[in-house]
Amino acid sequence: MPGIVFPKDFIWGCATASYQIEGAFDEDGKGESIWDRFSHTPGKILNGDNGDVACDHYHRYKEDIALMKEIGIQSYRYSISWPRIFPEGKGQYNEKGLDFYKRLTYELLKNGIKPSVTLYHWDLPQKLQDIGGWANRDVTDYFVEYAGLLFEKLGDVVPYWITQNEPWIVAFLGHMMGVHAPGIKDLKTALEVFHNILLSHGKAVGAYRQLNLPGKIGIAPNFSTKYPASDKKEDIEACELADGVLNKWFIYPVFKGTYPEDVVKFYRDRGAHFDFPPEDMKIIGADIDFLAINYYTSEFVKHHPVNGFVEINNELSQFEKTEMGWIIYPKGLYDLLLRLDNDCNKIDIIISENGAAFDDKIDENGNINDVKRMNYIKEHLIQAHKAIEEGVNLKGYYLWSLMDNFEWSFGYSKKFGIIHVNRENLKRTIKNSGYLYRDIIKNNGL
Ligand SMILES: OC[C@@H]1[C@@H](O)[C@H](O)[C@@H](O)c2nc(CNc3ccccc3)cn21
């Protein structure tokens, strides 16, 4: 590949999330989260895994930051556990919980690594779930109380803030499919949750602006690019609907002040009446400084007589797949970036998550030559660079993930890290993909 060089100020990062790496699930005054409750419920998580210990990052964060420095990571995206700060979700905050994130943040700064803080990456305080969770509109105000405390305590030194990670996954996997915490299966609840999460985002952005802080604030939706399985009209229409359900369902309220009518009708036809106060839409559409996008894969879509559309990736043998069963389709990232550049008024974009799970093998010398992950990273960066050359304001790339961690309902069975974590003794080993990333960062390109 001829030398690909990224813009001189391009940000090279890595991403994790609190419940997936920290452990210390009940230490130093932390309250129970909905993921503690879900993972402690028999049958919810593969192999009965849970995040009680995870990667023990709570105690090993200095070692992990030293590894980030060895790889040359310039920015680290981590999430804050709300119940570590507010064990009851609101009211009196927990000094010891806040102290952990102060120590973590200042250790990053000491090592020249820019903090990027995600306020919510799925671990809602269980006490708030007990009063309805995100389906309860009051929780949007408790979120602003939580965000406001962190803006006050860390706002001067944290340059990047992400309010919410993947509202769609929280709403639909957690409240319609029931495969994520809190395990609810109700479409109307899922729609209310999605709306309230966006509302909490808009309220938090408003609070951030009031404080005149030096950093930037955005949100991290999950997108995947949809392609019709054929050029038949019915498949093209099905693809449009699939794109609406996932991608337009976020883009429209945040950037256009309304929900997409075709998808609203789709839900109404399925018995989920959907409308929200117009004043909410103004709050949700608060100006943000950047759009953080999580991209992993794309889907091919065909018409379905009952459901309107069906995604057929598992029928497509021509594509390599990751251990998650997701097709590897780097052009989907390029197409997504061009689309967002057009639909979101050329807003600054960062790729806040991109990565892949593969069945890594450890050789007799203890090395991990994860070639498939190395190829995945290179192929997606080539597409990202192509988008930049087309004028997309892509400002950074955060690889998912720094280390093998708790992969939600799959437990520790799916490994996304560029650093291997031995589940017996939690020993960290940089994989060859980690050394590749080190060289990419050093060269600012491929
Ligand atoms: O699955 C890998 C990561 C996960 O570990 C992160 O916590 C989360 O932010 C994340 N989001 C996606 C995007 N897609 C997705 C698809 C199905 C289930 C969950 C997420 C992948 N990932």
Side-chain angles (χ1 to χ4, degrees):
M1 195 69 215
I4 286 180
V5 180
F6 281 74
K8 68 175 172 39
D9 51 359
F10 193 77
I11 301 163
W12 296 101
C14 252
T16 66
S18 45
Y19 188 78
Q20 296 181 266
I21 67 165
E22 286 178 1
F25 82 103
D26 61 352
E27 201 163 316
D28 289 341
K30 174 181 168 291
E32 185 185 17
S33 77
I34 58 173
W35 271 95
D36 291 317
R37 179 69 62 89
F38 196 70
S39 68
H40 293 155
T41 305
K44 299 298 184 187
I45 311 295
L46 193 63
N47 304 324
D49 289 342
N50 61 51
D52 291 3
V53 175
C55 306
D56 193 35
H57 180 70
Y58 188 79
H59 299 106
R60 300 171 190 237
Y61 70 93
K62 286 191 177 179
E63 171 194 353
D64 292 332
I65 291 171
L67 288 167
M68 293 181 214
K69 194 165 170 70
E70 181 179 348
I71 293 169
I73 287 160
Q74 297 168 349
S75 180
Y76 172 53
R77 178 185 175 223
Y78 55 107
S79 78
I80 291 181
S81 171
W82 187 344
R84 230 186 258 290
I85 307 296
F86 286 100
E88 310 272 308
K90 55 189 169 72
Q92 182 54 45
Y93 75 86
N94 173 30
E95 194 65 59
K96 282 186 176 176
L98 179 63
D99 182 59
F100 167 65
Y101 294 107
K102 283 181 179 173
R103 285 183 278 116
L104 172 61
T105 301
Y106 282 96
E107 187 69 17
L108 288 165
L109 293 167
K110 193 176 87 175
N111 284 276
I113 298 169
K114 288 184 166 58
S116 171
V117 170
T118 305
L119 289 165
Y120 187 73
H121 201 125
W122 306 358
D123 40 3
L124 186 74
Q126 180 61 45
K127 290 286 187 195
L128 296 184
Q129 190 60 46
D130 295 345
I131 59 169
W134 285 111
N136 177 352
R137 194 181 168 91
D138 293 346
V139 172
T140 66
D141 295 317
Y142 302 142
F143 179 74
V144 175
E145 178 189 24
Y146 158 65
L149 179 76
L150 294 166
F151 294 156
E152 179 198 330
K153 303 292 185 184
L154 295 171
D156 287 340
V157 295
V158 170
Y160 309 116
W161 293 89
I162 291 173
T163 55
Q164 290 282 357
N165 185 73
E166 303 191 343
W168 194 94
I169 295 292
V170 174
F172 288 89
L173 270 71
H175 298 82
M176 190 177 87
M177 300 173 206
V179 295
H180 276 196
I184 291 170
K185 296 181 182 178
D186 178 73
L187 175 58
K188 190 162 177 9
T189 304
L191 293 168
E192 287 165 352
V193 162
F194 185 90
H195 181 82
N196 286 339
I197 289 179
L198 290 193
L199 185 61
S200 76
H201 154 75
K203 289 181 176 181
V205 172
Y208 187 80
R209 298 297 184 218
Q210 292 292 315
L211 295 165
N212 292 313
L213 290 168
K216 296 185 175 188
I217 191 163
I219 184 170
N222 58 293
F223 289 121
S224 74
T225 309
K226 310 291 182 183
Y227 299 94
S230 78
D231 56 8
K232 282 193 288 186
K233 183 170 180 292
E234 63 178 22
D235 287 347
I236 291 169
E237 287 174 352
C239 184
E240 183 62 29
L241 178 58
D243 179 68
V245 162
L246 180 74
N247 301 319
K248 289 199 299 187
W249 198 246
F250 176 88
I251 295 165
Y252 275 50
V254 175
F255 291 96
K256 301 178 189 304
T258 178
Y259 284 96
E261 236 341 283
D262 57 333
V263 185
V264 171
K265 182 182 182 310
F266 173 75
Y267 288 131
R268 269 206 196 107
D269 292 351
R270 282 152 183 78
H273 193 71
F274 183 82
D275 54 26
F276 285 92
E279 62 273 17
D280 285 1
M281 305 315 290
K282 191 161 174 11
I283 297 169
I284 289 170
D287 280 341
I288 51 178
D289 302 307
F290 60 86
L291 180 63
I293 67 170
N294 296 351
Y295 173 86
Y296 289 85
T297 187
S298 295
E299 275 86 28
F300 287 79
V301 183
K302 69 178 184 184
H303 171 72
H304 186 280
V306 175
N307 301 334
F309 67 92
V310 60
E311 295 173 344
I312 60 159
N313 283 3
N314 49 8
E315 298 168 25
L316 304 177
S317 56
Q318 69 269 39
F319 296 112
E320 247 195 284
K321 293 187 174 75
T322 72
E323 282 297 299
M324 298 296 280
W326 301 342
I327 64 169
I328 299 173
Y329 201 74
K331 186 176 178 300
L333 175 59
Y334 171 82
D335 289 337
L336 172 65
L337 288 165
L338 272 290
R339 185 258 181 94
L340 294 172
D341 186 60
N342 179 65
D343 289 4
C344 306
N345 323 309
K346 295 199 73 61
I347 190 171
D348 283 357
I349 295 173
I350 60 156
I351 295 168
S352 39
E353 288 181 28
N354 176 249
F358 292 111
D359 183 16
D360 302 325
K361 302 290 183 224
I362 304 175
D363 71 19
E364 61 280 1
N365 303 316
N367 300 319
I368 297 148
N369 188 26
D370 53 335
V371 173
K372 288 184 178 178
R373 185 173 293 106
M374 295 161 78
N375 289 337
Y376 180 98
I377 294 164
K378 285 188 279 191
E379 287 160 7
H380 285 79
L381 286 176
I382 288 165
Q383 296 300 324
H385 188 264
K386 268 184 67 181
I388 292 171
E389 289 188 321
E390 298 284 317
V392 173
N393 294 318
L394 180 63
K395 300 297 182 185
Y397 175 90
Y398 290 75
L399 203 158
W400 185 271
S401 180
L402 175 69
M403 68 182 94
D404 297 338
N405 58 51
F406 180 81
E407 180 50 39
W408 309 112
S409 58
F410 293 98
Y412 298 100
S413 67
K414 307 296 182 190
K415 301 169 189 313
F416 280 85
I418 57 172
I419 295 172
H420 173 265
V421 177
N422 179 312
R423 290 307 310 160
E424 304 302 316
N425 56 23
L426 302 179
K427 179 174 176 287
R428 276 78 160 143
T429 307
I430 298 177
K431 303 176 188 176
N432 282 4
S433 58
Y435 293 116
L436 166 71
Y437 200 46
R438 177 198 59 191
D439 296 344
I440 288 170
I441 296 169
K442 202 180 294 174
N443 299 325
N444 195 29
L446 296 170

